[in-house]
Amino acid sequence: MLRLENMTAAHFDDYMSSSIKEYALEKVQAGSWTQEDSLDNARLTYDRLLPDGLNTPNNFFFSIINGDNVIGYIWLGPDSENKNIAFIFDFEIYDAYQNNGFGSQAISLASTKAKALGFTSVGLHVFGTNSRAIHVYEKAGFEITDIKMQKKL
């Protein structure tokens, strides 16, 4: 049975080392950042969002657990524009566990956690090139609220 558990310090350290690199890569692929600035920009973003790391107030890090295995993670915190909205800052089901319905289940569990924490809704950002994630989020009931577009010159 799938469940969310508070992320341990060890899992958080692993998460941070890989997540910063992944975020930098996604921003480059989206055309938002240059390759040469991407890692510094990603580190600055994470430092700004998480000045106290795992202990940053009002940020909730969960390991997604199936049986005895950590199969992913999810990070919730208040949306910067509306504190009533829980924002999913980061979410991943590890490759070996994808295509088993775990993403949809984890989103449902995270929504329940967000409601218990007093939030009235859940929001997130997804890169336009991530069709797999868009499918999971739409299936879970998310609707488009904003679209950012860009044209290469």
Side-chain angles (χ1 to χ4, degrees), residues 33-139:
W33 291 346
T34 64
Q35 180 71 43
E36 48 277 0
D37 295 333
S38 64
L39 276 176
D40 287 340
N41 288 345
R43 283 188 196 98
L44 287 171
T45 298
Y46 275 77
D47 288 346
R48 179 178 49 81
L49 293 171
L50 299 170
D52 297 322
L54 181 60
N55 299 313
T56 300
N58 300 315
N59 283 269
F60 309 94
F61 291 88
F62 300 102
S63 296
I64 303 166
I65 312 288
N66 184 48
D68 294 329
N69 299 315
V70 175
I71 66 164
Y73 57 81
I74 193 160
W75 166 21
L76 298 173
D79 184 277
S80 63
E81 296 176 354
N82 184 339
K83 302 300 180 201
N84 293 317
I85 299 172
F87 192 79
I88 298 174
F89 284 92
D90 205 357
F91 168 55
E92 181 178 8
I93 300 295
Y94 300 138
D95 289 344
Y97 301 99
Q98 291 183 5
N99 299 316
N100 292 300
F102 293 135
S104 297
Q105 291 177 54
I107 290 290
S108 178
L109 291 170
S111 296
T112 300
K113 290 272 190 190
K115 187 173 183 176
L117 290 165
F119 294 105
T120 59
S121 60
V122 179
L124 54 81
H125 169 271
V126 61
F127 288 100
T129 57
N130 194 342
S131 58
R132 173 182 271 173
I134 291 168
H135 172 74
V136 169
Y137 300 140
E138 287 176 337
K139 195 168 108 177

Side-chain angles (χ1 to χ4, degrees), residues 149-153:
M149 299 175 79
Q150 179 174 308
K151 175 183 172 183
K152 289 199 186 271
L153 301 177

